[in-house]
Tab-separated table of all heavy atoms in Angstrom:
chain	number	residue	atom	x	y	z
A	191	LEU	N	30.382	117.572	1.906
A	191	LEU	CA	29.757	116.253	1.730
A	191	LEU	C	30.659	115.344	0.902
A	191	LEU	O	30.976	115.636	-0.256
A	191	LEU	CB	28.397	116.396	1.051
A	191	LEU	CG	27.596	115.094	0.910
A	191	LEU	CD1	27.321	114.466	2.278
A	191	LEU	CD2	26.289	115.344	0.172
A	192	VAL	N	31.055	114.243	1.517
A	192	VAL	CA	31.928	113.251	0.894
A	192	VAL	C	31.260	111.880	1.026
A	192	VAL	O	30.819	111.518	2.121
A	192	VAL	CB	33.304	113.230	1.598
A	192	VAL	CG1	34.166	112.100	1.063
A	192	VAL	CG2	34.015	114.565	1.416
A	193	PRO	N	31.158	111.121	-0.055
A	193	PRO	CA	30.563	109.786	0.046
A	193	PRO	C	31.373	108.872	0.961
A	193	PRO	O	32.495	108.467	0.642
A	193	PRO	CB	30.583	109.286	-1.397
A	193	PRO	CG	30.596	110.518	-2.233
A	193	PRO	CD	31.436	111.494	-1.448
A	194	THR	N	30.838	108.583	2.115
A	194	THR	CA	31.396	107.621	3.064
A	194	THR	C	30.227	106.843	3.649
A	194	THR	O	29.061	107.161	3.411
A	194	THR	CB	32.152	108.319	4.214
A	194	THR	OG1	31.216	109.132	4.958
A	194	THR	CG2	33.292	109.198	3.690
A	195	GLU	N	30.543	105.850	4.444
A	195	GLU	CA	29.476	105.068	5.078
A	195	GLU	C	28.588	105.962	5.942
A	195	GLU	O	27.363	105.840	5.945
A	195	GLU	CB	30.103	103.962	5.930
A	195	GLU	CG	29.088	103.040	6.591
A	195	GLU	CD	29.738	101.923	7.374
A	195	GLU	OE1	30.838	101.475	6.977
A	195	GLU	OE2	29.157	101.493	8.388
A	196	LEU	N	29.196	106.874	6.690
A	196	LEU	CA	28.435	107.760	7.562
A	196	LEU	C	27.527	108.696	6.770
A	196	LEU	O	26.399	108.984	7.173
A	196	LEU	CB	29.394	108.581	8.435
A	196	LEU	CG	28.764	109.553	9.438
A	196	LEU	CD1	27.917	108.807	10.461
A	196	LEU	CD2	29.844	110.374	10.141
A	197	ALA	N	28.017	109.162	5.629
A	197	ALA	CA	27.261	110.135	4.837
A	197	ALA	C	26.336	109.496	3.813
A	197	ALA	O	25.643	110.209	3.079
A	197	ALA	CB	28.235	111.074	4.115
A	198	ASP	N	26.276	108.180	3.756
A	198	ASP	CA	25.513	107.500	2.710
A	198	ASP	C	24.046	107.939	2.634
A	198	ASP	O	23.528	108.136	1.526
A	198	ASP	CB	25.598	105.983	2.891
A	198	ASP	CG	24.878	105.242	1.772
A	198	ASP	OD1	25.342	105.359	0.615
A	198	ASP	OD2	23.853	104.587	2.043
A	199	PRO	N	23.333	108.125	3.771
A	199	PRO	CA	21.934	108.562	3.644
A	199	PRO	C	21.802	109.915	2.942
A	199	PRO	O	20.848	110.129	2.181
A	199	PRO	CB	21.475	108.651	5.105
A	199	PRO	CG	22.349	107.696	5.837
A	199	PRO	CD	23.689	107.820	5.164
A	200	LEU	N	22.753	110.815	3.173
A	200	LEU	CA	22.704	112.131	2.544
A	200	LEU	C	23.018	112.046	1.055
A	200	LEU	O	22.391	112.714	0.232
A	200	LEU	CB	23.704	113.075	3.218
A	200	LEU	CG	23.512	113.307	4.716
A	200	LEU	CD1	24.687	114.092	5.282
A	200	LEU	CD2	22.199	114.034	4.990
A	201	VAL	N	23.987	111.206	0.721
A	201	VAL	CA	24.401	111.064	-0.673
A	201	VAL	C	23.349	110.313	-1.485
A	201	VAL	O	23.106	110.618	-2.657
A	201	VAL	CB	25.756	110.337	-0.755
A	201	VAL	CG1	26.140	110.057	-2.200
A	201	VAL	CG2	26.847	111.165	-0.067
A	202	SER	N	22.706	109.330	-0.855
A	202	SER	CA	21.784	108.452	-1.565
A	202	SER	C	20.434	109.094	-1.854
A	202	SER	O	19.743	108.700	-2.801
A	202	SER	CB	21.565	107.155	-0.764
A	202	SER	OG	22.783	106.467	-0.595
A	203	ASP	N	20.027	110.063	-1.044
A	203	ASP	CA	18.753	110.731	-1.255
A	203	ASP	C	18.933	111.803	-2.327
A	203	ASP	O	19.655	112.785	-2.135
A	203	ASP	CB	18.267	111.360	0.055
A	203	ASP	CG	16.881	111.966	-0.057
A	203	ASP	OD1	16.708	112.891	-0.865
A	203	ASP	OD2	15.982	111.529	0.684
A	204	GLU	N	18.293	111.627	-3.465
A	204	GLU	CA	18.500	112.531	-4.609
A	204	GLU	C	18.170	113.967	-4.267
A	204	GLU	O	18.882	114.905	-4.663
A	204	GLU	CB	17.663	112.058	-5.798
A	204	GLU	CG	17.897	112.869	-7.063
A	204	GLU	CD	17.153	112.304	-8.258
A	204	GLU	OE1	16.670	111.158	-8.179
A	204	GLU	OE2	17.048	113.021	-9.275
A	205	ARG	N	17.099	114.182	-3.515
A	205	ARG	CA	16.687	115.545	-3.156
A	205	ARG	C	17.715	116.208	-2.245
A	205	ARG	O	18.072	117.379	-2.445
A	205	ARG	CB	15.319	115.495	-2.479
A	205	ARG	CG	14.797	116.834	-2.006
A	205	ARG	CD	13.385	116.688	-1.476
A	205	ARG	NE	12.895	117.890	-0.833
A	205	ARG	CZ	11.691	118.003	-0.269
A	205	ARG	NH1	10.859	116.963	-0.293
A	205	ARG	NH2	11.314	119.129	0.302
A	206	VAL	N	18.206	115.454	-1.270
A	206	VAL	CA	19.193	116.001	-0.332
A	206	VAL	C	20.521	116.257	-1.044
A	206	VAL	O	21.156	117.304	-0.863
A	206	VAL	CB	19.386	115.047	0.862
A	206	VAL	CG1	20.524	115.537	1.758
A	206	VAL	CG2	18.090	114.937	1.663
A	207	ARG	N	20.943	115.284	-1.858
A	207	ARG	CA	22.199	115.448	-2.590
A	207	ARG	C	22.148	116.681	-3.491
A	207	ARG	O	23.105	117.467	-3.556
A	207	ARG	CB	22.498	114.199	-3.421
A	207	ARG	CG	23.842	114.258	-4.137
A	207	ARG	CD	24.155	112.965	-4.862
A	207	ARG	NE	23.265	112.702	-5.976
A	207	ARG	CZ	22.290	111.788	-5.968
A	207	ARG	NH1	22.100	111.015	-4.905
A	207	ARG	NH2	21.510	111.629	-7.023
A	208	ALA	N	21.027	116.879	-4.176
A	208	ALA	CA	20.879	118.033	-5.069
A	208	ALA	C	20.937	119.338	-4.287
A	208	ALA	O	21.501	120.342	-4.755
A	208	ALA	CB	19.569	117.935	-5.842
A	210	TYR	N	22.577	119.825	-1.429
A	210	TYR	CA	23.992	120.039	-1.092
A	210	TYR	C	24.742	120.634	-2.281
A	210	TYR	O	25.483	121.618	-2.145
A	210	TYR	CB	24.655	118.715	-0.705
A	210	TYR	CG	24.644	118.402	0.770
A	210	TYR	CD1	23.650	117.613	1.327
A	210	TYR	CD2	25.652	118.871	1.608
A	210	TYR	CE1	23.649	117.301	2.684
A	210	TYR	CE2	25.663	118.568	2.955
A	210	TYR	CZ	24.661	117.783	3.494
A	210	TYR	OH	24.668	117.483	4.837
A	219	LEU	N	30.478	116.601	-5.414
A	219	LEU	CA	30.770	116.014	-4.119
A	219	LEU	C	32.277	115.870	-3.963
A	219	LEU	O	33.017	115.741	-4.944
A	219	LEU	CB	30.107	114.642	-3.986
A	219	LEU	CG	28.583	114.601	-4.090
A	219	LEU	CD1	28.093	113.176	-3.858
A	219	LEU	CD2	27.924	115.558	-3.113
A	220	GLY	N	32.732	115.887	-2.729
A	220	GLY	CA	34.147	115.663	-2.470
A	220	GLY	C	34.476	114.183	-2.497
A	220	GLY	O	33.603	113.324	-2.667
A	262	TRP	N	12.777	114.990	5.720
A	262	TRP	CA	13.093	113.800	6.508
A	262	TRP	C	12.502	113.921	7.908
A	262	TRP	O	11.891	112.993	8.417
A	262	TRP	CB	14.608	113.638	6.632
A	262	TRP	CG	15.274	113.009	5.468
A	262	TRP	CD1	14.722	112.613	4.289
A	262	TRP	CD2	16.666	112.700	5.381
A	262	TRP	NE1	15.675	112.084	3.466
A	262	TRP	CE2	16.877	112.120	4.102
A	262	TRP	CE3	17.744	112.862	6.234
A	262	TRP	CZ2	18.134	111.697	3.678
A	262	TRP	CZ3	19.003	112.443	5.812
A	262	TRP	CH2	19.200	111.862	4.551
Side-chain angles (χ1 to χ4, degrees):
L191 185 59
V192 174
T194 63
E195 183 177 329
L196 181 62
D198 183 65
L200 301 172
V201 174
S202 299
D203 185 299
E204 185 175 346
R205 178 174 172 181
V206 174
R207 184 176 67 254
Y210 267 95
L219 299 183
W262 279 3

